[in-house]
């Protein structure tokens, strides 16, 4: 599978991030993504402040040193609880803390956090202030451009101005409204129209503020084109479902060498992590479920996915299953030959 690698890299402090995604961006996913990019910023799944305070912290927050730079995303709206959770996250060694003001799920509506907080920018600002007082690492906010009937000009400006007044260090803006009335979380990722220009207008008004773009970006080309004057870009499902694109990030975004020559070399370099997890009593599927999108579109991709989706679930499955899956992928020799032979992907 050939890729466009001709676009110029972006210099300076521009940031590429992989979005926090529930059930997906766990520590094994992040370790895999770090193998593909040294420079991408990685996020945890959203973790609520009460869960951190009262729950199994090692399970919720544990991560491996190579994952840096890594950001924990918190959910909540109680300033005292968020401050306490922030202190715990600092003790674990996270590089930043991000407050979720964008998730539209029923769970967050019931708990008064996530996208519904767009309606209460003053409370979000108090939460940011509490965390800034509690810890020394950066505090950022990830939000939507508005919710329900809100005017997106007024809503986004109000949130931005109030959280920035309390020291918020960076804004990550998902460039859609969230409709909390009548749309499912999946529909909220697809139906409300994207408005990248609204995020660029925010940047034009707040030129000194680091602002990162998120939402509907399907490829790295899309991300670099739409980010325009912004300070970063965040990809979610595109990066998860097509992790090959992460191999391009270091070169195309930062002008650095890719960490590995190709996806085959990346998997080989990742094997010691997989082996250590298995030796500790973990299951192969815990890790390989995050690798199903690798090699997408190449000859053998369907067999690769089927092998991991079935055989990795078998108790006692080991590295031999991962190696068998990778062996189903025909290593590319030339784009012309790929075009002649087609694919089962």
């Amino acid at each position: 599978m050939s890729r466009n690698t001709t676009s110029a890299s972006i210099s300076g402090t521009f940031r590429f991030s992989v979005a926090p995604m529930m059930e997906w961006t766990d520590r094994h996913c992040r370790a895999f993504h770090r193998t593909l990019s040294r420079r991408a910023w990685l996020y945890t799944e959203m973790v609520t402040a009460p869960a951190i305070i009262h729950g199994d912290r090692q399970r919720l927050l544990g991560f491996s040193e190579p994952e840096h730079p890594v950001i924990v995303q918190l959910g909540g709206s109680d300033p005292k609880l968020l401050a306490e959770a922030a202190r715990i996250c600092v003790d674990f060694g996270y590089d930043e803390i991000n407050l979720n003001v964008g998730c539209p799920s029923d769970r967050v509506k019931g708990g008064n956090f996530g996208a519904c907080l767009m309606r209460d920018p003053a409370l979000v600002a108090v939460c940011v202030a509490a965390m800034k007082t509690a810890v020394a690492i950066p505090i950022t906010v990830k939000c939507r451009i508005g919710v329900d009937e809100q005017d997106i000009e007024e809503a986004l400006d109000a949130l931005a101005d109030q959280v920035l007044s309390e020291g918020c260090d960076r804004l990550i803006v998902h460039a859609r409204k969230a409709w909390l009335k009548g749309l499912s979380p999946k529909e909220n990722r697809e139906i409300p129209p994207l408005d990248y220009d609204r995020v660029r207008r925010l940047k034009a008004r707040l030129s000194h503020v680091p602002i990162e773009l998120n939402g509907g970006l399907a490829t790295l080309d899309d991300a670099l084109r739409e980010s325009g004057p912004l300070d970063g870009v965040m990809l979610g499902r595109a990066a998860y479902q097509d992790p090959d694109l992460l191999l391009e990030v270091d070169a195309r975004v930062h002008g650095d060498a890719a960490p590995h020559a190709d996806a085959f070399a990346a998997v080989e370099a990742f094997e010691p992590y997989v082996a250590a997890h298995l030796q500790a009593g973990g299951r192969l599927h815990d890790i390989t479920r995050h690798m199903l999108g690798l090699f997408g579109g190449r000859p053998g991709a369907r067999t690769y996915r089927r092998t991991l989706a079935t055989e990795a679930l078998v108790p006692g499955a080991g590295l031999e299953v991962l190696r068998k899956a990778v062996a189903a992928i025909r290593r590319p020799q030339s784009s012309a030959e790929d075009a002649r032979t087609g694919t089962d992907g």
Side-chain angles (χ1 to χ4, degrees):
M1 179 175 59
S2 62
R3 289 179 175 271
N4 174 14
T5 58
T6 59
S7 64
S9 64
I10 296 175
S11 60
T13 59
F14 188 90
R15 180 181 293 188
F16 178 95
S17 304
V18 179
M21 292 174 282
M22 296 298 295
E23 307 297 331
W24 286 5
T25 52
D26 63 16
R27 63 186 304 169
H28 302 309
C29 175
R30 297 192 304 269
F32 172 52
H33 286 174
R34 177 59 67 224
T35 305
L36 301 173
S37 169
R38 297 187 185 97
R39 297 291 299 273
W41 284 72
L42 305 178
Y43 281 72
T44 68
E45 304 168 83
M46 182 188 69
V47 191
T48 65
I52 290 172
I53 294 167
H54 303 295
D56 183 342
R57 295 174 186 176
Q58 186 58 43
R59 180 181 64 82
L60 294 169
L61 296 177
F63 68 95
S64 55
E65 189 66 21
E67 290 175 45
H68 288 292
V70 60
I71 302 171
V72 58
Q73 186 183 65
L74 297 184
S77 58
D78 184 311
K80 291 183 180 179
L81 295 182
L82 285 167
E84 185 176 351
R87 284 189 286 266
I88 295 168
C89 291
V90 167
D91 290 341
F92 269 81
Y94 282 95
D95 296 291
E96 288 185 5
I97 295 170
N98 177 259
L99 181 62
N100 185 321
V101 188
C103 181
S105 74
D106 292 335
R107 177 188 173 204
V108 302
K109 284 184 284 185
N112 191 34
F113 59 95
C116 65
L117 290 175
M118 292 291 301
R119 299 194 189 105
D120 196 347
L123 175 58
V124 180
V126 172
C127 291
V128 168
M131 290 188 286
K132 290 290 292 185
T133 299
V135 302
I137 65 173
I139 303 296
T140 68
V141 169
K142 185 173 187 291
C143 65
R144 294 279 182 136
I145 58 176
V147 296
D148 297 331
E149 293 83 10
Q150 282 186 323
D151 179 279
I152 62 173
E153 302 297 327
E154 295 176 1
L156 184 57
D157 280 351
L159 182 79
D161 290 346
Q162 295 207 41
V163 299
L164 291 169
S165 71
E166 297 297 343
C168 175
D169 293 282
R170 176 179 289 260
L171 294 170
I172 301 96
V173 185
H174 184 144
R176 300 181 196 268
K177 266 191 176 184
W179 285 92
L180 305 179
K181 304 172 183 177
L183 293 184
S184 70
K186 181 177 185 297
E187 290 169 331
N188 262 301
R189 296 192 299 268
E190 299 169 352
I191 293 177
L194 288 159
D195 192 343
Y196 298 137
D197 283 340
R198 176 63 189 99
V199 185
R200 290 189 281 260
R201 288 197 298 276
L202 181 69
K203 177 63 181 179
R205 188 174 71 84
L206 302 171
S207 60
H208 62 291
V209 176
I211 298 175
E212 195 169 332
L213 181 67
N214 173 237
L217 300 164
T219 68
L220 193 53
D221 285 331
D222 290 344
L224 297 180
R225 180 181 64 253
E226 297 293 349
S227 57
L230 300 170
D231 304 280
V233 66
M234 174 182 282
L235 269 66
R237 280 158 180 77
Y240 186 90
Q241 294 169 346
D242 182 18
D244 293 72
L245 74 77
L246 292 175
L247 277 171
E248 299 182 34
V249 167
D250 292 7
R252 295 185 60 191
V253 176
H254 299 289
D256 293 347
H260 301 287
D262 56 24
F264 296 98
V267 172
E268 185 175 350
F270 192 49
E271 282 193 3
Y273 179 92
V274 180
H277 177 67
L278 296 172
Q279 188 173 7
R283 302 177 306 159
L284 182 65
H285 177 69
D286 296 338
I287 297 175
T288 56
R289 71 187 186 93
H290 301 301
M291 303 173 67
L292 296 176
L294 201 64
F295 303 112
R298 300 188 189 193
R302 187 176 301 164
T303 302
Y304 166 85
R305 293 192 300 271
R306 183 170 61 246
T307 300
L308 292 184
T310 56
E311 297 185 29
L313 286 166
V314 176
L319 275 174
E320 72 281 353
V321 173
L322 176 58
R323 291 167 179 165
K324 175 183 175 182
V326 174
I329 306 295
R330 184 175 64 77
R331 293 177 182 261
Q333 297 179 14
S334 72
S335 58
E337 183 177 352
D338 285 346
R340 289 196 303 272
T341 58
T343 177
D344 78 342

